[in-house]
Amino acid sequence: MERTVRRIPQNEIQDQLGYMHKVRSIVSKKAEQRGSCMKYCVITYGCQQNEADSERLSGIAEKMGYVQVYSEKDADLILVNTCAVREHAELKALSVTGQYKHLKEANPELIVGIGGCMVSQQRRCDDIKNSYPYVDFLFGTSMLYRVPEFIYKRLTGGKRGFYSEFGAGCIAEGLPVKREHKHKAWVSVMNGCNNFCTYCIVPYVRGRERSRYKEDILEEIRTVVNDGCHEITLLGQNVNSYGLDLPEYVGKYDFSSLLQDINEIDGDFIVRFMTSHPKDAKKELIDTMARCEKIAPHFHLPLQSGSDEILKRMNRKYTSEYYLGLLAYMREKIPDICVTTDIITGFPGETEEDFEKTLSLVSIARYDMIYSFIYSPRPGTPAAEYGDQISAEDKNRRFRRLLDLQNQISYEKNLSAVGKTYRVLCDGLSKNDGGMYTGRTAGNKLVHFPCNEDMTGRFVTVKIAAAQPYALLGELVQSDISQ
Ligand code: SAH
Ligand code: SF4
Ligand code: F3S
């Protein structure tokens, strides 16, 4: 097995803290000279793991004395955290990066760093190096902790830097973090993936699985809970294999043990986790969820396809029968559980019959919600080389059929919530519905409700009055004024 350094040694982190300090002096001098503060903007594409990484980037920028802005045109430092999971995500990041040319012309002191999954691929690294000369540096997923050094080098006249290679390890403890919310927090439990599903780029851009030590995870959770956090989402590409890369944990401490330990931390909070691979989601995990009152009744269990033939070609290592068995066990042990999934339409070789099998499994499973994706060939993955690619027309048609079916199911499920009362964590004012507040149930259902007082970050009790396919509408019963 490939040996990797799991943690970046503390002396290297100390070096980076040193760079942050040096950048801070430069930034404060510049700010003084021009009479206004230096500003940074972090732009994030992709999944929650990237959101979590971006909170580290913001923490680093703040520590260096930059002040946050949300529009790139106002910034002196732009950090873009990219995604590579589908072509669309890459094209978007590239097109946005293209627009920075004008910003750099207007402000030659602007520093642009592009990081994350997209630039962890050599071909994208080369594209940017050659075609985007105004990009100052690239940092792959394992190089995020060295961003202070890269910025320092550029600020002191160093050359452009391209750090896309996969470093020895990418768990960096002790970096500053600026969390976007006070009431909910991402907590990464592991990085990387060993599964190599044949369509997926993630193992190539995030490297092999590396688990954080439980002490570090538990300490982070205690800290955010003490700071008033009410919802923790544990992150990893496959949280169910937590600890399997740590020889001292194998057979002794796993994801269920971690959930159990988190459940024992004092405080009024709920815990979610994502993502689980069905092949590793064991009954013991479901038993633990059923037992632990702080673990939310919410399970994201990616199916990808309902056809055993396609699952095999995807290298998913389970069958539809096994998957449905797991789902049945979950619903038996946790009757109010909300289950969501990911499905890909138009994987190479998917026949109409295969697709019908997906539709039929979706009808049986009756998910609360699905995230469906049109298959996007990723250069470097096995499926991109398969000869039997599906036409864009078929992929799109299947995608729409799947969506129509799920919309109906989601609506029916939401209708069954009408009249019931839920504890909802309020996220703030609804973006689309002026005046309404929005929040989520423990099962992660979106709830909108009118309210006169700002309840952001608090638990409230809401009685559901009406349903939409993707949201519930309700009325406040009482506020949880104990917080
Ligand atoms: N580790 C997670 C998923 C990470 S990617 C898991 O295994 O569930 C999130 C989702 O993107 C996947 O579940 C899959 O449905 C989708 N996806 C990944 N690669 C894709 C591709 N090449 N084309 C379309 N969708 C893809
Ligand atoms: Fe990609 Fe599969 Fe790993 Fe998920 S489990 S990140 S889909 S390779
Ligand atoms: Fe995208 Fe990387 Fe996440 S490829 S989905 S940002 S792990």
Side-chain angles (χ1 to χ4, degrees), residues 457-472:
R458 291 167 63 171
F459 282 114
V460 291
T461 311
V462 179
K463 185 167 184 193
I464 305 305
Q468 296 172 345
Y470 293 109
L472 300 169

Side-chain angles (χ1 to χ4, degrees), residues 47 83-87 192-193 195 197-202 236-239 274-278 300-304 314 316 341-345 347 371-378 381 383:
C47 62
C83 171
V85 81
R86 282 169 289 277
E87 190 187 23
C193 180
N195 291 313
C197 301
T198 55
Y199 49 82
C200 185
I201 197 73
V202 171
Q237 291 304 336
N238 178 14
V239 291
M274 63 192 340
T275 299
S276 295
H277 194 304
H300 184 64
L301 192 64
L303 167 69
Q304 313 299 1
M314 288 176 160
R316 289 291 288 180
T341 201
D342 290 349
I343 294 177
I344 297 177
T345 63
F347 182 80
Y371 300 87
S372 43
F373 306 102
I374 292 170
Y375 171 69
S376 169
R378 304 287 63 224
T381 61

Side-chain angles (χ1 to χ4, degrees), residues 198-454:
T198 55
Y199 49 82
C200 185
I201 197 73
V202 171
Y204 306 88
V205 294
R206 289 251 174 203
R208 295 297 71 71
E209 289 172 358
R210 281 168 302 267
S211 303
R212 291 178 70 198
Y213 291 124
K214 64 176 176 142
E215 292 80 7
D216 293 326
I217 299 170
L218 294 171
E219 187 52 37
E220 185 175 347
I221 295 176
R222 275 190 214 102
T223 306
V224 292
V225 167
N226 281 339
D227 286 349
C229 180
H230 293 306
E231 181 188 288
I232 311 277
T233 304
L234 306 175
L235 299 177
Q237 291 304 336
N238 178 14
V239 291
N240 305 133
S241 43
Y242 173 77
L244 291 179
D245 58 312
L246 298 171
E248 63 273 39
Y249 282 28
V250 176
K252 297 192 189 87
Y253 198 89
D254 62 7
F255 189 60
S256 294
S257 332
L258 182 67
L259 287 182
Q260 182 91 45
D261 279 352
I262 296 171
N263 194 58
E264 279 159 26
I265 294 177
D266 279 342
D268 187 8
F269 66 96
I270 58 169
V271 181
R272 308 182 190 287
F273 54 88
M274 63 192 340
T275 299
S276 295
H277 194 304
K279 78 173 166 55
D280 301 312
K282 299 282 171 328
K283 287 187 170 168
E284 194 207 339
L285 169 64
I286 296 162
D287 296 341
T288 305
M289 286 177 76
R291 218 176 34 239
C292 294
E293 72 286 355
K294 287 182 176 132
I295 313 300
H298 170 210
F299 213 112
H300 184 64
L301 192 64
L303 167 69
Q304 313 299 1
S305 169
S307 152
D308 290 343
E309 191 50 40
I310 296 295
L311 285 173
K312 209 165 176 183
R313 284 169 60 106
M314 288 176 160
N315 192 30
R316 289 291 288 180
K317 301 196 173 87
Y318 54 84
T319 62
S320 51
E321 191 188 344
Y322 164 85
Y323 183 98
L324 284 172
L326 201 59
L327 201 60
Y329 187 75
M330 228 177 249
R331 289 192 166 137
E332 180 198 323
K333 293 284 163 177
I334 313 169
D336 62 340
I337 197 159
C338 288
V339 186
T340 55
T341 201
D342 290 349
I343 294 177
I344 297 177
T345 63
F347 182 80
E350 183 189 70
T351 61
E352 283 301 316
E353 204 187 340
D354 289 318
F355 178 61
E356 290 295 337
K357 287 183 182 160
T358 299
L359 292 181
S360 118
L361 200 148
V362 167
S363 305
I364 298 170
R366 294 186 64 78
Y367 295 105
D368 289 273
M369 177 139 128
I370 66 176
Y371 300 87
S372 43
F373 306 102
I374 292 170
Y375 171 69
S376 169
R378 304 287 63 224
T381 61
E385 304 300 321
Y386 293 173
D388 39 8
Q389 301 288 326
I390 305 297
S391 71
E393 195 190 336
D394 281 343
K395 286 200 257 192
N396 286 312
R397 186 176 42 77
R398 289 177 193 168
F399 177 79
R400 280 194 306 272
R401 275 190 70 196
L402 178 60
L403 223 61
D404 286 346
L405 171 64
Q406 183 57 39
N407 281 348
Q408 183 60 31
I409 296 172
S410 294
Y411 183 50
E412 285 165 13
K413 290 213 118 182
N414 278 353
L415 275 178
S416 71
V418 174
K420 293 187 184 154
T421 298
Y422 293 91
R423 192 168 192 231
V424 170
L425 181 59
C426 180
D427 280 323
L429 272 175
S430 160
K431 285 193 187 96
N432 308 323
D433 209 335
M436 294 279 257
Y437 277 85
T438 188
R440 292 200 178 253
T441 65
N444 209 31
K445 288 213 182 267
L446 195 60
V447 181
H448 301 307
F449 54 94
C451 182
N452 296 326
E453 199 186 326
D454 185 357

